Amino acid sequence: MISQDVDQFEKALLSFDRLAAENILNKSDGDRTPIQFIEELIVPALERLGTGWEEGRVALSQIYMSGRICEKLVNDILSPCVQKRTDQPRMAIGVLEDYHLLGKRIVYSALRASGFELLDYGQITVDELVRRIKEERIKVLLISVLMLPSALLVKKVREKLKETGTEVKIVVGGAPFRFDNNLWKEVEADAMGNNASEAVQIITKIMEEL
Amino acid sequence: MTPSNITSLQRVLTTLGHQEPDRIPFFLLVTMHGAKELGMSIKEYFSKAENVVEGQLRMRDKYRHDCIYAFFHAPIEMEAWGGEVIYSENGPPNSGEPLIHKFGDINNMTPPKVKDAPCLLKVLKTIEMLKNKVREEVPIIGVVISPFSLPIMQIGFDKYIELIYEQPKLFEHLMKLNELFCVEWANAQLSAGATAICYFDPVSSTTIIPRNLYLTTGFKIAKRTIAQIKGPTATHMASGRCLPIIDDIAQTGTAIICTSVIEDLAEVKSICQKKIAVLGNLNGIEMRRWTSEQAETFVKDAIAKGGPGGGYILSDNHGEIPWQVPEEVLMAISEAVHKWGQYPLDWTTIENS
């Protein structure tokens, strides 16, 4: 039954059918709590889309539009004060010195659609990022990049955080990391996600460890 | 043909005719390395046509590749539209804040005229000067960002996807404006002496949009636009996938398709066979830390997959070699092409057997 629901939900997302997605939610309203809806329907559907993108069957535009639908659905059913949203180490996401914001938007939506709360730093410089991490006591930082120079800047972020003794888990993603599998280690990130659903898995694991 | 009596242009034209020339042609798509060669910052380098001319000529002397690449950087088109170019010390310039803040702004936009844009005139001067130097010996590659892909910089990637799906009228209007500009810009480069135009169209890649959407958007736009460009074009997905839409791309009238390193070059070549030539697909990002031995291995592999029968130009898969790729690696790539790329490629059948 669950698998059938995920199939239908995935189909609704791929055709950008917000109403169909809402109907699946409403249909199962009595059977599932909001958290169960997220964990049993949204997260698996987004995982399938992520795998589809890896295999070349699903396009980034579909992932992005699906993420928007899911983010809105979750916002509607999961109020900001629900424990799942608040009872977690502080987390933020940003794009380093680059105006390519799509990847960040996708990961942000996927995480929020999976019940996580995080600050959105948008496009940000290394110094500003380090300052905000310290001031806002961020424990998990996601950095999205498109350009190689931006990817290399992650190492500067790490170095500056080390200088001040600030411990932060850094998770990176974006084209340069996908095209060079060793780059995330070189820049001293803690993990790299190939797509938004991998980012959700990584964050879930980190949250359990922290 | 023997190496002594064939020019780079003849070599390229032979392969585009799906015949085997003397050796695999290769395009080393270096844009910023000329600045390193001249001891300049990237910003200073791109400030004068003379610098880029000198940089491109020195790059070709050094690496013995088969084209002159007249591409400055993608945001130069945005500069013409009134946007900002943000220079970097170690990478290609970035486009600044998008020009379109809200969808309605599209109604008030007017495409720039090439003659009124000093940044574009600088590129045209570069092409003219290069043409005077290389004449018909080497193809000069001009570059346009496709009308369908330019909005990534005009409006931002996320908002652009929303525009495509949710604002069809404004999307169509923006495409009309961009097509006008793109055609004028491509033809100005051809008039200045460019041999062919590289049509950068990453949004059309199936990495970014599904094929069914491509067929109603990027495909039609490419067909209309390329038909008005008065010279040959190469369609470049800038590292994105092209395999599921190769037959469609071939119908847009383009002569070459660039494939990504995430696709199997042999499979791409087999689908393209005799219909369209293939460019690619060395991994430019990973290239930064290749050893000379690795460079040789990757070049050999690409030649073995793409080379037989012609219709293939060896290149990176993004259309721009990153600043961080060392000279030694570029030299190793060049040496490997010259060593292993001589036709007939008998060694490929020996190794396969």
Side-chain angles (χ1 to χ4, degrees):
Chain A
M1 188 62 187
I2 287 176
S3 166
Q4 206 176 7
D5 283 351
V6 176
D7 286 347
Q8 283 179 359
F9 192 68
E10 183 190 8
K11 202 173 156 192
L13 293 180
L14 282 174
S15 51
F16 318 114
D17 194 340
R18 196 187 301 267
L19 284 177
E22 280 174 4
N23 283 341
I24 294 166
L25 165 69
N26 294 333
K27 195 181 73 182
S28 62
D29 208 11
D31 308 331
R32 295 185 175 100
T33 64
I35 295 298
Q36 279 174 326
F37 182 74
I38 291 167
E39 290 175 348
E40 292 175 8
L41 273 180
I42 294 184
V43 171
L46 291 177
E47 271 176 14
R48 284 190 193 180
L49 294 180
T51 306
W53 190 61
E54 287 300 315
E55 293 170 356
R57 290 181 285 105
V58 174
L60 208 56
S61 64
Q62 294 170 300
I63 304 267
Y64 174 65
M65 296 302 279
S66 302
R68 282 179 73 215
I69 292 174
C70 291
E71 190 185 354
K72 186 175 180 308
L73 281 178
V74 172
N75 278 344
D76 291 345
I77 61 171
L78 203 64
S79 70
C81 58
V82 167
Q83 194 183 24
K84 167 102 182 177
R85 281 220 194 271
T86 55
D87 185 22
Q88 62 176 48
R90 288 173 71 79
M91 179 161 57
I93 188 167
V95 177
L96 265 184
E97 303 193 5
D98 189 334
Y99 280 98
H100 296 93
L101 300 175
L102 181 66
K104 188 263 304 174
R105 278 293 311 270
I106 289 172
V107 175
Y108 178 83
S109 294
L111 282 166
R112 284 186 54 80
S114 304
F116 291 105
E117 190 59 72
L118 68 165
L119 294 170
D120 183 356
Y121 287 165
Q123 189 261 357
I124 194 163
T125 63
V126 171
D127 289 339
E128 178 69 1
L129 180 60
V130 170
R131 183 186 67 76
R132 288 192 66 173
I133 288 168
K134 282 158 58 184
E135 280 182 14
E136 290 160 7
R137 301 186 310 282
I138 298 299
K139 294 295 174 200
V140 182
L141 173 69
L142 294 105
I143 299 177
S144 168
V145 301
L146 185 71
M147 316 279 279
L148 178 60
S150 305
L152 296 171
L153 283 176
V154 175
K155 191 162 185 179
K156 269 195 179 172
V157 174
R158 175 62 87 197
E159 284 167 0
K160 290 194 177 229
L161 289 169
K162 270 187 194 168
E163 281 169 17
T164 56
T166 311
E167 283 188 21
V168 179
K169 293 277 187 194
I170 299 180
V171 181
V172 293
F177 297 109
R178 291 170 49 78
F179 281 94
D180 183 347
N181 291 330
N182 288 332
L183 187 56
W184 67 276
K185 291 178 194 158
E186 184 186 324
V187 299
E188 298 183 28
D190 294 289
M192 188 277 277
N194 275 302
N195 55 54
S197 60
E198 269 192 31
V200 173
Q201 290 165 19
I202 290 166
I203 295 303
T204 305
K205 190 162 174 280
I206 287 176
M207 289 302 177
E208 286 166 6
E209 289 167 1
L210 283 175
Chain B
M1 290 189 204
T2 60
S4 57
N5 66 0
I6 181 166
T7 65
S8 284
L9 180 58
Q10 288 170 323
R11 184 173 294 123
V12 171
L13 290 175
T14 305
T15 210
L16 294 186
H18 302 277
Q19 301 288 319
E20 294 185 351
D22 60 329
R23 72 158 163 78
I24 300 273
F26 88 110
F27 287 2
L28 204 56
L29 300 178
V30 277
T31 55
M32 298 163 280
H33 285 70
K36 269 188 193 172
E37 184 75 19
L38 299 181
M40 291 176 181
S41 70
I42 292 168
K43 186 174 183 180
E44 185 187 359
Y45 178 70
F46 285 126
S47 69
K48 283 170 69 179
E50 289 78 2
N51 297 341
V52 178
V53 170
E54 184 63 22
Q56 281 295 315
L57 293 174
R58 285 204 202 176
M59 290 296 97
R60 185 161 181 274
D61 282 347
K62 196 175 219 173
Y63 301 116
R64 298 177 291 152
H65 54 110
D66 293 299
C67 77
I68 294 287
Y69 199 33
F71 182 47
F72 278 45
H73 45 79
I76 205 160
E77 292 193 14
M78 287 312 300
E79 193 179 343
W81 282 80
E84 183 191 9
V85 176
I86 301 169
Y87 284 90
S88 159
E89 288 175 4
N90 59 1
N94 243 311
S95 183
E97 286 277 1
L99 289 173
I100 302 167
H101 298 287
K102 53 184 191 306
F103 291 145
D105 293 348
I106 292 168
N107 286 321
N108 304 320
M109 291 174 74
T110 312
K113 286 283 175 197
V114 172
K115 68 177 175 55
D116 299 328
C119 57
L120 302 184
L121 294 174
K122 184 170 57 184
V123 177
L124 296 181
K125 184 180 173 187
T126 304
I127 294 173
E128 282 166 9
M129 291 173 71
L130 284 165
K131 184 71 176 180
N132 282 332
K133 294 279 185 187
V134 303
R135 302 284 173 184
E136 298 302 320
E137 191 190 332
V138 191
I140 298 174
I141 312 300
V143 166
V144 294
I145 310 298
S146 81
F148 187 52
S149 295
L150 190 64
I152 296 173
M153 293 185 284
Q154 290 175 311
I155 193 168
F157 216 149
D158 48 350
K159 293 291 167 205
Y160 181 44
I161 288 178
E162 291 168 28
L163 181 82
I164 295 172
Y165 282 106
E166 295 171 349
Q167 303 285 339
K169 282 187 181 166
L170 286 173
F171 166 73
E172 284 300 332
H173 183 62
L174 183 60
M175 290 306 105
K176 276 183 191 156
L177 301 179
N178 287 356
E179 281 174 43
L180 281 173
F181 171 71
C182 182
V183 169
E184 192 202 349
W185 177 219
N187 287 333
Q189 291 179 73
L190 290 166
S191 296
T195 318
I197 296 295
C198 185
Y199 182 86
F200 269 100
D201 197 15
V203 179
S204 284
S205 159
T206 48
T207 301
I208 306 296
I209 60 166
R211 178 175 179 260
N212 59 358
L213 182 59
Y214 168 67
L215 290 177
T216 58
T217 55
F219 171 72
K220 288 183 174 172
I221 292 157
K223 214 170 172 180
R224 283 198 302 261
T225 306
I226 288 171
Q228 296 175 75
I229 295 176
K230 297 168 184 163
T233 58
T235 297
H236 208 302
M237 298 299 183
S239 304
R241 292 178 197 270
C242 67
L243 201 52
I245 52 171
I246 285 176
D247 285 333
D248 307 317
I249 293 169
Q251 286 181 46
T252 64
T254 199
I256 303 173
I257 177 68
C258 182
T259 177
S260 170
V261 72
I262 54 179
E263 297 181 307
D264 179 18
L265 182 57
E267 193 181 353
V268 170
K269 180 73 190 295
S270 73
I271 296 174
C272 289
Q273 203 70 262
K274 306 284 179 196
K275 281 184 290 205
I276 185 169
V278 181
L279 179 82
N281 65 347
L282 301 180
N283 186 335
I285 297 290
E286 204 182 69
M287 200 182 278
R288 190 174 60 92
R289 54 180 180 77
W290 281 355
T291 61
S292 296
E293 291 73 27
Q294 283 175 310
E296 183 172 12
T297 302
F298 288 123
V299 167
K300 270 186 81 177
D301 184 56
I303 289 173
K305 287 176 172 168
Y312 174 63
I313 298 170
L314 189 136
S315 174
D316 72 294
N317 84 145
H318 193 73
E320 184 175 65
I321 305 276
W323 167 263
Q324 289 78 8
V325 176
E327 199 177 302
E328 295 74 32
V329 173
L330 299 180
M331 195 56 83
I333 291 170
S334 168
E335 282 170 6
V337 177
H338 284 86
K339 180 178 173 185
W340 297 103
Q342 307 293 332
Y343 283 105
L345 303 172
D346 294 336
W347 61 268
T348 58
T349 45
I350 292 165
E351 288 194 0
N352 284 339
S353 63

